[in-house]
Amino acid sequence: QVQLVESGGGLVQAGGSLRLSCAVSGGTFSIYAMGWFRQAPGKEREFVSGISWSGGTTLYADSVSGRFTTSRDNAKSTVYLQMNSLKPEDTALYYCAATYGSNWNAQSIDYWGQGTQVNVSS
């Protein structure tokens, strides 16, 4: 059973930074493309970032491009999301996601974490 466990969420002031981590167990981490999604209250879950199995290709939503950076350590079976210059509109529950493919549609994700809450105060 593949498990994804996020950590690193919390409360931060606007302009601050947080680093999310997602540890994966129960599967072969290096074969998955890994991603981050987020869901704010009353809104649909949205794509934030994705990284290929090798780490050589990354993709970001326009709303976070230039502020967020995703990376992975295959030896540690962990993916990261470094979030800088945070804004109140970044407040959401952030989910880690794993997929065998490269489609970042939420319906195409194979495995989800439980989420970690990020709150950005103004």
Side-chain angles (χ1 to χ4, degrees), residues 17-97:
S17 298
L18 282 174
R19 188 195 196 201
L20 305 184
S21 299
C22 172
V24 180
S25 61
T28 305
F29 179 74
S30 60
I31 70 173
Y32 304 123
M34 299 296 300
W36 292 93
F37 288 71
R38 67 187 182 186
Q39 188 167 17
K43 295 187 177 181
E44 293 187 354
R45 193 171 298 189
E46 64 174 1
F47 170 78
V48 174
S49 70
I51 186 167
S52 62
W53 66 270
S54 68
T57 301
T58 56
L59 184 66
Y60 299 94
D62 289 344
S63 58
V64 306
S65 183
R67 299 188 297 122
F68 291 10
T69 302
T70 189
S71 60
R72 65 189 293 162
D73 185 336
N74 285 352
K76 295 182 178 180
S77 297
T78 302
V79 63
Y80 306 96
L81 184 65
Q82 178 67 43
M83 304 185 295
N84 299 329
S85 302
L86 282 161
K87 305 175 181 179
E89 51 264 44
D90 294 318
T91 293
L93 188 60
Y94 282 72
Y95 294 92
C96 179

Side-chain angles (χ1 to χ4, degrees), residues 4 22 54 100 104:
L4 286 65
C22 172
S54 68
Y100 292 108
W104 293 112

